[in-house]
Amino acid sequence: MLVLILAMAVSFAIKSWISSAVIAAVVVINIFVGFLQEYAAEKTMDSLRTLSSPTATVVRGSHTKVIPTAEIAPGDVVELRVGDTIPADMRLIDCMNFETDEALLTGESLPVAKESEA
C-alpha cells in the first residue's frame, strides 16, 4: 500500500496523469475492500461472542442463581433449557429427549442424543 502511494506521488511529480489516476483508483479500491473485510470480520467476531455462554443458571444451596460461567464450580447443578449453550463439562442428572449439536467438536452432522447416568 505504501509503495502504491509512493508510486502515485512520483507519477504526479512527473506529470503522468493517467498513471497517477489509475494508481489512485487502485489505492481507493484497496482501502474500500480492506474496510469491508474488517467490517465483516468484526461482525463475525461479535456473532461468535454471542454464541459463547457468558452466564449459566445454577442451583447452589437450594437457591437458583444466574452466574457468569467462569464462576461455575465442581458440585454446582446447572439447569439447561432449550437453546442454551452448555457452559462447562458436566454430568447429566436428569434429562428427557436431550440432544446436543456437536458439529463444532466432532463434525457430527446430526444432533447426538444424551442420557443421564442415574
Side-chain angles (χ1 to χ4, degrees):
M1 180 72 148
L2 192 56
V3 173
L4 284 174
I5 294 173
L6 184 62
M8 182 180 64
V10 169
S11 292
F12 274 125
I14 62 172
K15 297 182 180 174
S16 178
W17 306 118
I18 295 175
S19 297
S20 302
V22 169
I23 294 172
V26 168
V27 169
V28 169
I29 290 171
N30 192 1
I31 291 170
F32 181 70
V33 169
F35 173 78
L36 288 179
Q37 287 180 334
E38 275 298 312
Y39 181 73
E42 194 63 36
K43 281 180 54 176
T44 302
M45 290 302 295
D46 287 341
S47 68
L48 288 174
R49 281 188 204 101
T50 61
L51 284 178
S52 68
S53 184
T55 60
T57 305
V58 299
V59 178
R60 285 186 179 166
S62 73
H63 297 294
T64 303
K65 299 178 182 178
V66 177
I67 63 168
T69 56
E71 295 179 13
I72 294 176
D76 284 341
V77 177
V78 179
E79 292 182 354
L80 295 174
R81 294 182 179 83
V82 174
D84 282 355
T85 302
I86 298 175
D89 289 342
M90 58 185 67
R91 181 178 298 130
L92 295 174
I93 298 171
D94 185 30
C95 64
M96 182 188 309
N97 299 326
F98 186 64
E99 294 182 339
T100 60
D101 180 9
E102 297 179 354
L104 291 175
L105 300 172
T106 63
E108 297 276 340
S109 60
L110 298 172
V112 179
K114 302 290 182 179
E115 294 181 10
S116 61
E117 295 177 3

